[in-house]
Every structure is written in structure tokens, then in C-alpha cells.
Amino acid sequence: MARLPYPELQDLSPENRELMAGLPPLNVFRMMSGAGASFAPFMQFISAYLNDGVLPPDLRELVILRVGHLCGSHYEVHQHERVSRTIGLAEERIQAVKGHIPNDLFSAAENAALLFADEQVAQVKVSDTTFRAAHEHLTDAQTVELTIVVGTYLMVCRFLETLEVELEETDIDGSGLEAIEESVKSLSGGS
Amino acid sequence: MARIPYFDPANADDKLKETIDKLPGLNIFRMMAHSGGLLAKFAGLGNHILGRAKLDATLREIAIIRVGVLSKASYEVHQHERIGRQIGMSDELIKALHEGPEATAFDGLQRLVMRYTDDVVLNVRASDATFDPLTKHLSHQEMQELTLTIGYYMMVSRFLETFDVDIEEEGSTASVDLKSLERK
């Protein structure tokens, strides 16, 4: 059982209720709908890199999975393995991201980004060597986005694990990313 | 010195230009502008955490500064100690954030927030020993806000440190305006 109760729809603000109506039925969103005014901006923020980001989606998902493994967040890994499969990542690449990096199943850019993620998680500041190695493959915009994505899943994993958000009984269909994009766009006054 | 040059606003499209103009001229935003549309969403979430949460402002700043201290993120600590002073935190209280949860400057609830922050940062999942006592003082919404605040500033610390974002020069007045955030 989760550590805090999932909020009831009728107890939510109109904005959060409206948002919940369009989002995929995932327990992480059910829980966070109880976070008040921060919920909608959180969803707009994640939709920005998930749906309009500048990183290649494969690389982004591999990095997200890596952070999930490093944080020991079963829920996060489960959901993003589903997203990864939906967008076409090969199963052996999905499994390999649990293990030693670099790995031949990953491109040079992916290996560099994963090593960057490892260092960022463990020591906050990425070393010069690792920064330069990733930046050789990624633009300034992509390197900034990579750093933000790694950091965001440190936040998400902490939210999930500390509040003990449970896996759903059945998986949702598809990646769920389009539904996130649509519901964020339809927020009154939201852009 | 920053690891890559700050974004040149001359290269911004109209939407990004509008975002940059609305934000305070802080180096963190000048660097993050490289990310284009993500800047507005990143700042939007931060503004809500700072200006629209139910969580008490002093408890919030205790958590934020502590995350900065644990992350050795000098820019983050610098900016939020400024905010801490603006909202009336004493020098003694701010100093205690560098010492740890058992420092004598904390009252009971502040100490619980410090213990919880340390636990979440270091162990991902807070133990019952730090989680349970806090729930007697904070609402469910405030527990969520505190948890998101800790995570958000772990991200911010990593961004600042990995890009070596410079602290603004002495006398810079660029700052987040808490009052204006609360009015929105």
C-alpha cells in the first residue's frame, strides 16, 4: 500500500481534476494530483522533453532507465521499459542498460550519455573528461537536456519510492506520451 | 568559469525571447536557455514550488539549502541563502543547515525536515523513522510538496555544478521575486 492515500477526484482542484481526466491511468499521476498547484507545471515540464525534446528518444529512454536502475526504482523502470518497447527499442538494449557501460549494443553517443548519467547521479558534478566525451556527440541544447532529464528522474524516483507508489495491476496500452501531450495542451491557459 | 558559453539571446526565437525577458537575469537561466522551450517549463515548475505551495516557506528553504549543501552546489546555496534571509531566517539557522539535523538552532519540526531531506537525498526512499513523524505535522499535500522540492533541487544542483554556472558578480540585483510569484 502506498504511504499516502491516493487523492479522490472530488477533492482535487478543478485544474488537477481536468488534467487527470486526460492522463493515462498511472498511479504516479494519481498520487501527484495531490501535490496541489505544482502538478500541472510538473506535467508540462515532463511533456516538454518527452514530446518536444531535442535528444533522440532511444538515448533519452536509455538514460531514464539507467537512472531508475541506479535509484532502485522498480516502478520507474517498469514504466519506462514499456515506453522504450513502444518506441521500438530492442529488448536486448533495454536489458543491457542494467549492466556495465560501455556496451557494444549502444552507440558511441549513447555510451557517452550513460556514463555522463552515472557520474551525475553519483557525484553531482560530471568530470571534465566525461562532460567533453558526451558533448562531442551532443549539441549544447542536447547536453543541457540530458542533464535535466537525469536530474528529473532522481526527483521522480524519490517521489515514487518514498511515497511507495504501486505498480498498476495491468499495464496501460502504448507509451502514454501522446495522452500526456494532449492533456497538457488542453489545460486552460496552459501553453 | 562555465563549461560552455551562456546562451546568446540573439539566437532565440520569439517564444524563447519572451521567456528570457520574463525571467530574472540569473546565470542559471542564461545557461538553461540553450534548451529552448524546456526553459519556460523548468522555470514554471520552480515558480510553483517557490510561490504556490502550501508548505511553509522556512521549511521549504531549509530543505532547498540542505540539498545544496549535500550536493556541494555553491551557486544554489548562495541564491537560496539570499532568499532565506529575505524571508527572515536568522544567520544562526542558516549556519545550522551546513552542520546537520542535530544542530541546536532547529526547532522540532525543522529538525524533522532536515532528517527527512538527508534521508531522501542519500537513500532515495525515506525510512519510516524520518517519514512517519513528519506526517504528524504536515498534510499529505505538504509531504508531496516537500518531496518534490527536494528532488527538484537535486536536479538544479546537478545542472549548476555540471555546467559550472558562475555566481553573479557582487552587487548583482538579479533575483527571483517571491512576491511576484505568489501573486500569479
Side-chain angles (χ1 to χ4, degrees):
Chain A
M1 215 182 75
R3 253 174 172 172
L4 299 177
Y6 297 101
E8 298 291 337
L9 277 178
Q10 73 251 23
D11 298 330
L12 300 178
S13 67
E15 180 184 56
N16 288 8
R17 203 160 42 221
E18 182 191 331
L19 193 47
M20 282 304 287
L23 287 174
L26 292 172
N27 286 339
V28 59
F29 302 142
R30 276 177 72 203
M31 180 61 82
M32 207 183 287
S33 69
S38 296
F39 180 46
F42 175 87
M43 294 308 307
Q44 290 173 322
F45 171 65
I46 67 167
S47 185
Y49 62 76
L50 289 172
N51 289 305
D52 298 312
V54 291
L55 288 171
D58 276 28
L59 183 147
R60 180 196 72 224
E61 289 303 316
L62 287 171
V63 164
I64 293 174
L65 288 173
R66 184 74 177 173
V67 176
H69 288 301
L70 291 172
C71 293
S73 178
H74 182 59
Y75 185 96
E76 201 256 18
V77 168
H78 182 88
Q79 301 302 347
H80 280 276
E81 285 186 343
R82 174 180 48 74
V83 175
S84 299
R85 284 183 198 112
T86 312
I87 66 170
L89 259 90
E91 192 61 32
E92 56 177 1
R93 280 158 54 79
I94 294 175
Q95 297 308 322
V97 81
K98 290 177 195 165
H100 181 76
I101 308 289
N103 185 312
D104 289 346
L105 289 168
F106 303 129
S107 70
E110 288 165 350
N111 275 318
L114 290 165
L115 289 169
F116 185 103
D118 281 6
E119 278 193 25
Q120 204 191 315
V121 170
Q123 50 195 58
V124 182
K125 184 184 193 124
V126 170
S127 68
D128 282 335
T129 317
T130 304
F131 186 92
R132 275 198 301 267
H135 196 233
E136 257 174 46
H137 299 280
L138 303 175
T139 64
D140 289 348
Q142 288 174 323
T143 310
V144 168
E145 191 170 291
L146 170 64
T147 306
I148 292 176
V149 168
V150 172
T152 299
Y153 287 87
L154 291 176
M155 162 168 65
V156 170
C157 288
R158 277 160 177 79
F159 182 86
L160 292 167
E161 293 306 303
T162 283
L163 301 184
E164 295 179 354
V165 173
E166 302 137 305
L167 276 177
E168 300 75 27
E169 280 173 25
T170 47
D171 277 344
I172 63 164
D173 289 330
S175 71
L177 301 187
E178 302 83 1
I180 293 174
E181 186 171 31
E182 284 309 310
S183 44
V184 160
K185 268 191 196 148
S186 69
L187 277 174
S188 358
S191 59
Chain B
M1 215 186 75
R3 263 177 172 159
I4 61 172
Y6 292 97
F7 180 74
D8 181 353
N11 298 327
D13 60 24
D14 288 348
K15 209 168 165 209
L16 181 55
K17 214 166 263 156
E18 199 184 312
T19 304
I20 293 172
D21 288 345
K22 270 197 242 164
L23 288 168
L26 290 166
N27 287 340
I28 180 173
F29 299 129
R30 292 178 60 214
M31 182 58 81
M32 203 177 291
H34 283 297
S35 71
L38 194 50
L39 173 65
K41 308 304 178 194
F42 167 87
L45 179 55
N47 287 346
H48 279 73
I49 286 173
L50 290 177
R52 297 279 305 280
K54 290 237 163 69
L55 183 68
D56 170 78
T58 299
L59 296 178
R60 181 194 73 223
E61 292 303 320
I62 285 175
I64 293 173
I65 297 167
R66 183 63 179 167
V67 170
V69 168
L70 292 173
S71 310
K72 300 189 174 63
S74 53
Y75 182 99
E76 207 251 30
V77 170
H78 174 83
Q79 293 299 345
H80 280 273
E81 287 189 350
R82 246 168 93 166
I83 293 175
R85 283 187 210 99
Q86 277 171 28
I87 64 168
M89 287 168 68
S90 67
D91 288 344
E92 196 200 357
L93 185 57
I94 289 174
K95 190 165 156 265
L97 299 168
H98 296 259
E99 292 164 7
E102 306 316 313
T104 52
F106 298 119
D107 68 22
L109 179 53
Q110 291 168 347
R111 184 164 296 113
L112 293 178
V113 169
M114 281 287 285
R115 287 181 186 151
Y116 181 76
T117 304
D118 283 14
D119 204 3
V120 170
V121 169
L122 300 174
N123 302 313
V124 184
R125 177 192 176 276
S127 66
D128 292 345
T130 58
F131 187 89
D132 294 347
L134 253 188
T135 60
K136 298 192 171 59
H137 300 272
L138 301 182
S139 68
H140 294 162
Q141 180 172 332
E142 290 167 327
M143 288 296 294
Q144 290 210 25
E145 289 170 347
L146 175 59
T147 310
L148 288 174
T149 301
I150 293 167
Y152 185 84
Y153 283 92
M154 289 183 71
M155 161 174 62
V156 170
S157 293
R158 279 164 171 77
F159 176 75
L160 292 165
E161 290 305 302
T162 286
F163 283 90
D164 264 335
V165 173
D166 306 281
I167 293 179
E168 290 74 22
E169 286 179 28
E170 189 100 19
S172 160
T173 53
S175 172
V176 172
D177 180 2
L178 288 179
K179 287 262 170 340
S180 82
L181 298 181
E182 283 156 19
R183 276 200 301 272
K184 271 181 202 161

